[in-house]
Amino acid sequence: MSAPSQSIPGKTVLITGCSSGFGEATARLFADRGWNVVATMRTPDTHRLPARENILVTRLDVLDPASIDAAIAAGITRFGAIDVLVNNAGFGLFGVFEATPRPKVMEQFAVNVFGVMDVTRALLPHFRQRQTGVVINVSSGAGIFTLPMISLYCASKFALEGFSEALSYELASVGVTVKIVEPGGVTSTRFGERSEAEAATATDLADYRPFVAAVQETFTGLRAARAGSTAQEVAETIFTAATDGTDQLRYVATQDIKPLVAARRETSEERYMALMRGQFMPR
Ligand code: NAP
């Protein structure tokens, strides 16, 4: 990699998980709007981003601390500073909890929670030194309400939400803002593909089969009724969170989840649980 070390004018964002989906769309959108982009991913050899002066594609696996440090250093060398961090990398572990192997449970948290913590902690000294910075964590509707068959994904995103909210108080004291972006279901990314592959690692437990079949039917209906959310919408929301200059903590990124978000946040616990049990509990 022969990165010129001159600093290009404009602000710089570092994004994790830019090989596809929201990360790729967000990298393109920031670059199109004149930002410098440190577009990080596990396997940079196969990326689909354009070769442009304001895009640096570099390796970062959130499970490999040395790669995190190297990517941050490469970004600062190339562009002079980093202004915004987007913790986007993540995946969804789908399937019945009891059937999920323990190493998969650990991996879900390693990527979606501890990976975010490691990338954030590695960048914080730079933000603190400059007394400025924005950390944007990509959560999910599954960080607001829960659904059956994704208990571990929900657990990881609830953990991410709690971490981000608590961290926001600490970082405000050193001039750094924390934001949480909450997308709903977007089928154009590779998220579903990976979730299916992960689900295949689960044990088949016969007692759950009727429940799993009923839930899958409900999900198919929900997906059909709420199709249409795009990675572009999510990228736009991330851009707004990065640039609006406010201390707004949470941004719901897609329309499809707004009814469930309202049920969770604007009605009583009793009404919310009755709504969810009505959809997912065996009758
Ligand atoms: P995606 O297309 O599968 O993108 C996920 C990205 O994360 C990929 O670039 C993937 O890289 C990367 N990644 C996975 N493990 C990694 C690791 N250890 N280190 C670095 N990067 C890693 O899915 P997406 O829909 O864009 O998902 C992006 C984020 O949005 C995730 O946090 C996800 O939980 C969240 N989200 C998605 C949806 C949805 O419906 N699509 C809804 C709500 C929230 P590889 O290509 O190397 O695997």
Side-chain angles (χ1 to χ4, degrees), residues 80-155:
I82 294 169
D83 301 279
V84 176
L85 165 64
V86 181
N87 284 308
N88 161 74
F91 73 97
L93 194 50
F94 284 23
V96 169
F97 164 68
E98 192 185 343
T100 307
R102 189 171 188 277
K104 283 283 152 198
V105 178
M106 305 302 276
E107 189 188 355
Q108 179 73 110
F109 276 78
V111 174
N112 289 13
V113 183
F114 303 129
V116 171
M117 291 179 181
D118 284 344
V119 178
T120 304
R121 184 159 36 205
L123 196 48
L124 279 179
H126 179 68
F127 282 177
R128 209 159 25 82
Q129 187 195 8
R130 304 176 73 228
Q131 290 281 299
T132 185
V134 182
V135 177
I136 301 174
N137 292 337
V138 179
S139 175
S140 170
I144 307 168
F145 48 80
T146 71
L147 301 171
M149 309 281 298
I150 55 167
S151 64
L152 294 160
Y153 181 58
C154 289

Side-chain angles (χ1 to χ4, degrees), residues 71 90 134 192 202 215 220 280:
V134 182
V215 167
T220 305
F280 296 115

Side-chain angles (χ1 to χ4, degrees), residues 17 19-22 42 61-62 88-89 139 153 157 183-184 186 189-190:
S19 65
S20 62
F22 302 160
R42 290 196 289 187
D61 181 336
V62 302
N88 161 74
S139 175
Y153 181 58
K157 293 297 188 182
V186 179
T189 74
R190 287 201 199 132

